[in-house]
Amino acid sequence: MTANLLDYDLEGLAAFCEQLGEKRFRATQLFRWIHQRGAARFSDMSDLARSLREKLAGCAEVVAPPVLSQHLSGDGTIKWLFDVGDGNAVEAVFIPEDDRGTLCVSSQAGCAVGCRFCSTGHQGFSRNLRVSEIIGQLWFAEHFLRRHLARSDRVISNVVMMGMGEPLQNYQPLVQSLRVMLDDHAYGLSRRRVTVSTSGVVPKIDRLALDCPVALAVSLHAPNDMLRDNLVPLNRTYPLQELLAACQRYLVHAPRDFITFEYCMLDGVNDTAEHAAALVALVQAHGGGRTWCKFNLIPFNPFPASGLLRSSASAVVAFARVLTDAGIVTTVRKTRGDDIDAACGQLAGDVMDRTAVGKRIAKQRSISITPLRTVPGAHLTGDLK
Ligand code: SAH
Ligand code: SF4
């Protein structure tokens, strides 16, 4: 069977090399060719012995999921739809900013958590992504962007596991993928610049703290269990007190001294001054008087099947005010890429059942990717339209 080398972290690649009768240090060379240089063909890996290149060509490959489509937003955001087989597609979104380039990565095809306000949740769960499918999103995006921006240095400086799926419900492949992101022989991202976002899988938060403590974002969305049970069904298994206690334990290992709470602003559902005050009381009851969390308010991105509406701008401002007045750093997330359905919770378009995705894939297979116009050395925003 052909091994896809994107499935391995450095340790796994070293074991693979040993199986081939090669020295472990060859794995480091190979790993650098693949992840730092974006090489997919063994014949290009000029400092590997010809005998090894030939051996690899016979038993291994470097393959990311095929790109079905690419959309460029007016604000420079780029969304890619990847075919992961059997009619399933997942998305990655690149968000350029002045001081960083962030890639939003998917961890599952669909999601089993089923949050009411999330289009992925409405799709249901198809399957977990393999390491090659998670890291393949970064591998493809980073090297695609370098080529198209004619850059030799790193383009993607931050990764957020905020695409489709609940990363902590695909734990082992997630951790292996994170290790590749952090490895100095691969992408060399700092632990502070890699964020796992979770709806609150408490036992896995504890494991992540030990296995690979990157920055943590927790999707809170409600200040009490009754409302959160309704919005995020996983709350029935891991209620708020347990979740916040897990956040405190995580902080001991975290690369930053705070947890980010995401809060999707839903009109009339969770966005009143009373909700904000209850939220302040909730977080202040933990952390022993320290400020230990930040809030990121996300204006809801509507989709028809949700039956929910976005909070008004004034409700968002008033809500943020209550939190900041209590000394909690609060930001309101700018909606990026909503003209191409790349905003949070809009991934893979409107809620599509899997047959519809399958049809779309069949239709798009024959279409080539729209080439981006490239201005050498140009900054992405504004120049690639
Ligand atoms: N499953 C993980 C990560 C993916 S979702 C999680 O839930 O944290 C990433 C973020 O987008 C989460 O905070 C999620 O609550 C939010 N989100 C989902 N659907 C949304 C929507 N329609 N509008 C705004 N934010 C949404
Ligand atoms: Fe899954 Fe996150 Fe969407 Fe909830 S918000 S359904 S956990 S992807």
Side-chain angles (χ1 to χ4, degrees):
M1 213 182 84
T2 309
N4 187 351
L5 301 189
L6 289 182
D7 271 319
Y8 296 130
D9 57 15
L10 186 51
E11 203 38 53
L13 200 56
F16 179 77
C17 284
E18 270 183 341
Q19 272 173 22
L20 294 181
E22 295 287 335
K23 296 266 187 317
R24 288 174 72 91
F25 79 88
R26 292 283 174 217
T28 309
Q29 281 179 298
L30 197 50
F31 204 56
R32 292 169 71 109
W33 271 108
I34 297 169
H35 296 289
Q36 291 188 341
R37 314 270 297 261
R41 286 194 306 251
F42 300 117
S43 55
D44 291 342
M45 302 181 183
S46 50
D47 61 356
L48 294 184
R50 180 190 290 266
S51 59
L52 172 57
R53 285 187 260 155
E54 283 169 1
K55 217 188 282 181
L56 287 168
C59 67
E61 60 185 5
V62 180
V63 183
V67 175
L68 288 166
S69 65
Q70 168 177 275
H71 299 277
L72 179 67
S73 157
D75 66 12
T77 301
I78 304 179
K79 176 176 89 164
W80 293 281
L81 188 67
F82 294 92
D83 178 3
V84 292
D86 299 327
N88 291 309
V90 298
E91 292 187 339
V93 180
F94 175 66
I95 305 146
E97 286 172 283
D98 291 344
D99 58 342
R100 72 183 89 168
T102 302
L103 189 71
C104 177
V105 170
S106 294
S107 57
Q108 299 181 310
C111 182
V113 177
C115 300
R116 272 188 54 198
F117 49 82
C118 172
S119 96
T120 308
H122 278 243
Q123 266 179 56
F125 177 67
S126 290
R127 70 170 176 85
N128 282 323
L129 297 188
R130 300 167 57 88
V131 177
S132 54
E133 293 166 329
I134 299 174
I135 216 66
Q137 298 167 56
L138 174 60
W139 180 78
F140 170 82
E142 172 67 27
H143 297 292
F144 171 88
L145 289 165
R146 278 193 213 175
R147 278 193 307 277
H148 281 265
L149 297 170
R151 270 175 60 172
S152 55
D153 57 332
R154 184 165 69 190
V155 179
I156 295 167
S157 59
N158 296 56
V159 169
V160 292
M161 298 301 304
M162 293 185 185
M164 299 165 76
E166 168 48 57
L168 295 185
Q169 288 189 339
N170 185 16
Y171 187 77
Q172 270 309 331
L174 168 77
V175 167
Q176 251 179 277
S177 304
L178 296 175
R179 290 197 174 124
V180 179
M181 294 173 196
L182 303 183
D183 200 307
D184 283 338
H185 296 295
Y187 302 91
L189 298 179
S190 113
R191 289 195 293 142
R192 303 159 64 92
R193 290 172 172 267
V194 175
T195 302
V196 167
S197 174
T198 179
S199 55
V201 191
V202 165
K204 295 293 164 38
I205 292 176
D206 286 327
R207 276 187 67 187
L208 189 68
L210 301 177
D211 291 340
C212 195
V214 294
L216 186 69
V218 172
S219 296
L220 210 55
H221 310 309
N224 62 63
D225 282 322
M226 208 165 60
L227 183 55
R228 195 163 190 271
D229 281 352
N230 187 274
L231 295 174
V232 185
L234 192 67
N235 195 66
R236 297 174 203 149
T237 313
Y238 306 112
L240 279 169
Q241 293 302 326
E242 286 181 32
L243 178 56
L244 295 202
C247 291
Q248 292 300 320
R249 293 192 295 274
Y250 194 85
L251 278 171
V252 176
H253 304 269
R256 296 172 179 266
D257 58 2
F258 60 87
I259 304 282
T260 304
F261 286 125
E262 290 156 282
Y263 197 97
C264 178
M265 300 291 293
L266 301 162
D267 184 40
V269 174
N270 65 355
D271 68 344
T272 65
E274 289 74 36
H275 291 120
L279 211 46
V280 169
L282 179 73
V283 300
Q284 284 181 346
H286 293 258
R290 289 175 303 135
T291 46
W292 62 278
C293 59
K294 292 187 179 177
F295 269 83
N296 196 353
L297 306 181
I298 318 172
F300 172 57
N301 293 307
F303 58 97
S306 70
L308 297 161
L309 297 171
R310 176 184 289 191
S311 301
S312 68
S314 60
V316 176
V317 170
F319 197 95
R321 192 66 191 261
V322 175
L323 297 177
T324 43
D325 283 353
I328 302 169
V329 174
T330 304
T331 50
V332 178
R333 188 175 297 170
K334 272 189 294 180
T335 300
R336 297 288 302 262
D338 53 354
D339 54 337
I340 56 167
D341 276 356
C344 303
Q346 288 183 322
L347 301 184
D350 284 343
V351 187
M352 289 183 290
D353 63 30
R354 281 191 282 287
T355 352
V357 176
K359 281 189 195 136
R360 188 161 149 193
I361 288 173
K363 212 167 87 198
Q364 283 174 329
R365 252 197 198 111
S366 55
I367 298 172
S368 63
I369 300 164
T370 330
L372 296 178
R373 187 168 67 78
T374 313
V375 181
H379 191 272
L380 199 57
T381 314
D383 284 314
L384 289 170
K385 283 200 182 144

